[in-house]
Amino acid sequence: MIPIAADHGGFEMKEAIIGELKKIGYTPVNMGTFASESVDYPDLIHPLAKEINEGKYLFGIIICGSGNGAQMVANKYPDVRAALCWSEEITKLARRHNDANILSLPGRFITHNLALKMVKIFLETEFEGGRHTKRVNKINQVR
Ligand code: RB5
């Protein structure tokens, strides 16, 4: 099961991703928004991030116009590592090196086609571990 949430800036991309997730055998959990009217991205992203943080789901997908606001909200949760991705390679690295558990997409700046490829990569790429484990473990060590 893959929860997915977006504001109006990512609404259409969210719908496209939901279709693709079903096609490739995942069960999307649509956490809104459910129309293209303007909404505040924190209202959509907090509930998803909370569930990832609590371990209800392994991975999630969030979308806003730039991907930044959504990512900022999600990363307030200690066990969330939300990565803003805009290319296939960045997406691979977010999983391999950062063990990202939320993919944040810039709905207004990448094509739907690229987003669908990135979603697949995100869900299928393993964390490399090794030297990256030590680094990921230091992320929450605020000084
Ligand atoms: C909404 O207009 C836009 O600000 C939002 O989607 C996002 O880009 C915020 O970071």
Side-chain angles (χ1 to χ4, degrees):
M1 286 170 89
I2 310 292
I4 178 164
D7 74 355
H8 53 289
F11 170 67
E12 283 174 17
M13 184 174 283
K14 174 173 68 64
E15 298 305 299
I17 291 172
I18 285 173
E20 181 70 9
L21 284 173
K22 286 181 188 162
K23 237 194 262 171
I24 61 177
Y26 293 92
T27 304
V29 179
N30 188 351
M31 299 186 71
T33 185
F34 298 102
S36 54
E37 277 80 50
S38 181
V39 286
D40 299 332
Y41 58 85
D43 295 336
L44 284 305
I45 306 305
H46 276 298
L48 184 149
K50 186 172 182 285
E51 296 202 325
I52 297 286
N53 193 57
E54 289 169 354
K56 183 163 175 192
Y57 304 106
L58 197 56
F59 293 131
I61 301 166
I62 56 178
I63 317 165
C64 68
S66 64
N68 261 325
Q71 182 213 28
M72 288 176 190
V73 172
N75 279 321
K76 290 291 176 192
Y77 295 77
D79 289 330
V80 163
R81 287 175 303 281
L84 171 57
C85 298
W86 61 91
S87 76
E88 293 179 55
E89 194 57 28
I90 296 278
T91 307
K92 258 181 230 163
L93 288 171
R95 286 286 313 126
R96 281 189 188 157
H97 289 187
N98 313 116
D99 199 17
N101 50 11
I102 293 186
L103 172 65
S104 182
L105 296 170
R108 291 184 176 141
F109 293 89
I110 59 171
T111 63
H112 284 192
N113 190 40
L114 175 58
L116 301 182
K117 283 189 197 158
M118 287 164 57
V119 164
K120 202 159 179 284
I121 288 169
F122 188 81
L123 298 175
E124 291 174 357
T125 304
E126 296 287 331
F127 177 48
E128 264 179 36
R131 69 188 191 280
H132 299 293
T133 302
K134 178 165 63 93
R135 294 167 184 170
V136 167
N137 287 340
K138 286 185 179 182
I139 291 175
N140 284 353
Q141 293 174 10
V142 178
R143 292 158 209 196

